[in-house]
Amino acid sequence: MIEFMLNGETVTTDDAPDTPLLWVVRDTFKLKGSKYGCGAGLCGACTMHVDGAAVRTCVLPISSVAGRAVTTIEGLGTPENLHPLQAAWYELSVPQCGYCQSGQIMSAAALLADNPSPSATDVDAAMAGNICRCGCYVRIKQAILQVGGTSLTDTSLAYDATLSDQETHA
């Protein structure tokens, strides 16, 4: 049995230790907000927080979260009490299809927890590797900067797609 905290509640599972956290959360605990995108940890759709850090859970074995705290999009806010990012997402009509949005929000929430007033460059670095097939990057960035209280300019909203994951996490 593997025990961990899931959205503030202690849970246990007897899933195989090498089962990815994403599948345990979706199939065992029936929380469907986090999505499967690539299965290789490259797109960000499966992002959750483990001890507050944004983690790609499609490649993270459940055994690695034993005794740790996991937060999913369902644990970030509620319909009655939205997280500030969720409220900004709604206010700015950020999503188009919405498939990647839970991973985008979870990555952004981890950024804002570490850096409450990020610059546009900080946002680009933190969000690199979170893929939005609909191309909603400008609205995603605008929502993050708005929550962070950063003044918005046309140039700061341009998404810098030239940043690679290696450059931003070096």
Side-chain angles (χ1 to χ4, degrees):
M1 293 293 261
I2 297 169
E3 181 177 285
F4 63 101
M5 296 289 289
L6 180 60
N7 296 332
E9 301 288 328
T10 301
V11 296
T12 59
T13 181
D14 59 0
D15 286 290
D18 62 345
T19 305
L21 176 60
L22 176 65
W23 297 120
V24 173
V25 167
R26 288 181 58 82
D27 295 343
T28 303
F29 296 106
K30 308 299 184 205
L31 298 174
K32 306 291 185 177
S34 301
K35 306 297 185 207
Y36 174 83
C38 67
L42 301 173
C43 74
C46 65
T47 302
M48 296 177 200
H49 295 171
V50 176
D51 293 336
V55 177
R56 307 293 168 84
T57 62
C58 68
V59 294
L60 183 70
I62 188 66
S63 60
S64 68
V65 301
R68 300 175 76 186
V70 174
T71 305
T72 68
I73 190 72
E74 292 90 349
L76 198 62
T78 66
E80 300 79 27
N81 187 24
L82 295 175
H83 182 279
L85 278 168
Q86 292 168 318
W89 244 248
Y90 178 77
E91 177 187 333
L92 297 171
S93 299
V94 170
Q96 187 167 323
C97 82
Y99 195 82
C100 70
Q101 297 307 301
S102 64
Q104 299 277 359
I105 290 171
M106 295 305 287
S107 291
L111 164 65
L112 291 168
D114 289 341
N115 180 357
S117 297
S119 69
T121 303
D122 295 334
V123 172
D124 286 342
M127 300 303 288
N130 282 77
I131 297 171
C132 176
R133 293 177 183 151
C134 299
C136 297
Y137 299 110
V138 171
R139 292 192 307 265
I140 291 167
K141 189 172 184 178
Q142 184 179 11
I144 297 166
L145 291 172
Q146 178 177 305
V147 172
T150 306
S151 63
L152 307 175
T153 66
D154 288 341
T155 56
S156 70
L157 287 178
Y159 182 76
D160 187 352
T162 63
L163 293 175
S164 72
D165 201 39
Q166 288 79 23
E167 291 172 318
T168 59
H169 295 97

